Amino acid sequence: QVQLQESGPGLVKPSETLSLTCTVSGASINSDYWTWLRQSAGKGLEWIGRVYPSGSSSYSPSFKSRATLSVDTSKNQMSLRLSSVTAADTAVYYCAREEVGRFDPWGQGALVTVSS
Amino acid sequence: DIVLTQSPGTLSLSPGERATLSCRASQTVSSGYLTWYQQKPGQAPRILIFAASSRATGIPDRFSGSGSGTDFTLTISRLEPEDFAVYYCQYYGGSPGITFGPGTKLDIK
């Protein structure tokens, strides 16, 4: 059974960088596509980007200039860094496995608040 | 970019009733990439239906999906108390074209 767990600071200051980690169990981070999404009251569910088994990544145009996804195969983890955050980046951030453009399963989510 | 519109915004029904939720795309889409999710308060979305009409593993057969082109429907044949939640449709239009609808809240009448 594949399970995902997001972790990271719950509070980030404006203009700083948000950093989250997703730990995968029950599957290898080297297989499948792994993705980050977020959900906010203002914009609903948004896809941020994905990492491929090769380690390369793909991003939504909305996040391409600020997001960086990476993989640590030794820990079976992937990470999200989102730079220059503002209050608009306050959201619940999810990692999920992606298959043929659909997401299953999802992690439980991590609430990140951007505030000074 | 494809925009997904869901209706109604809120649907109030009683247990045992039939629920019909709509997802409309701004242009013709491939049904192979239309997915439905259920989200309960404090939980992550859970996949229900993929490729417009295929139930995901473990999903009860009271959930069904249909549609093609621009119009898609999620039907819950007889509502159980645990079905009251928010439902989202989602489309994958190739990288980076992934979009979600705004959701339909199904609440108890």
Side-chain angles (χ1 to χ4, degrees):
Chain A
Q1 180 186 2
V2 179
Q3 293 183 309
L4 300 92
Q5 176 72 57
E6 303 88 350
S7 59
L11 180 64
V12 181
K13 290 182 168 55
S15 80
E16 295 190 344
T17 296
L18 176 160
S19 295
L20 292 171
T21 298
C22 174
T23 301
V24 176
S25 59
S28 170
I29 200 77
N30 285 329
S31 64
D32 300 317
Y33 296 177
W34 304 94
T35 196
W36 284 96
L37 310 100
R38 74 179 189 182
Q39 185 173 30
S40 63
K43 290 203 166 185
L45 285 160
E46 298 179 279
W47 177 74
I48 298 172
R50 73 169 70 85
V51 289
Y52 299 95
S54 64
S56 62
S57 53
S58 174
Y59 300 92
S60 163
S62 299
F63 297 97
K64 189 169 186 176
S65 63
R66 297 193 296 135
T68 303
L69 305 188
S70 60
V71 169
D72 185 336
T73 56
S74 67
K75 297 181 180 178
N76 220 40
Q77 294 176 335
M78 69 168 178
S79 296
L80 164 68
R81 289 173 58 85
L82 187 66
S83 63
S84 305
V85 297
T86 69
D89 294 308
T90 293
V92 177
Y93 287 77
Y94 295 101
C95 57
R97 182 176 62 181
E98 181 181 338
E99 180 182 23
V100 198
R102 58 186 183 259
F103 309 107
D104 178 47
W106 299 52
Q108 67 181 31
L111 173 61
V112 179
T113 302
V114 179
S115 175
S116 55
Chain B
D1 289 359
I2 290 171
V3 176
L4 298 178
T5 303
Q6 292 186 244
S7 61
T10 302
L11 183 58
S12 297
L13 294 170
S14 301
E17 291 192 295
R18 181 185 186 90
T20 303
L21 288 67
S22 173
C23 176
R24 177 164 288 178
S26 58
Q27 58 188 277
T28 298
V29 299
S30 168
S31 60
Y33 296 112
L34 195 287
T35 305
W36 289 92
Y37 301 88
Q38 175 194 66
Q39 186 177 32
K40 296 180 180 179
Q43 297 183 15
R46 174 179 74 142
I47 190 169
L48 294 176
I49 301 287
F50 65 94
S53 60
S54 296
R55 270 188 303 277
T57 302
I59 301 304
D61 60 7
R62 64 181 182 273
F63 290 91
S64 64
S66 63
S68 63
T70 59
D71 293 309
F72 297 87
T73 301
L74 174 69
T75 302
I76 310 171
S77 59
R78 286 180 57 85
L79 285 165
E80 297 287 343
E82 61 268 28
D83 298 337
F84 292 92
V86 180
Y87 292 84
Y88 296 96
C89 58
Q90 175 248 321
Y91 181 69
Y92 171 73
S95 186
I98 294 174
T99 58
F100 287 86
T104 290
K105 182 179 181 182
L106 178 57
D107 65 16
I108 299 177
K109 189 174 183 180

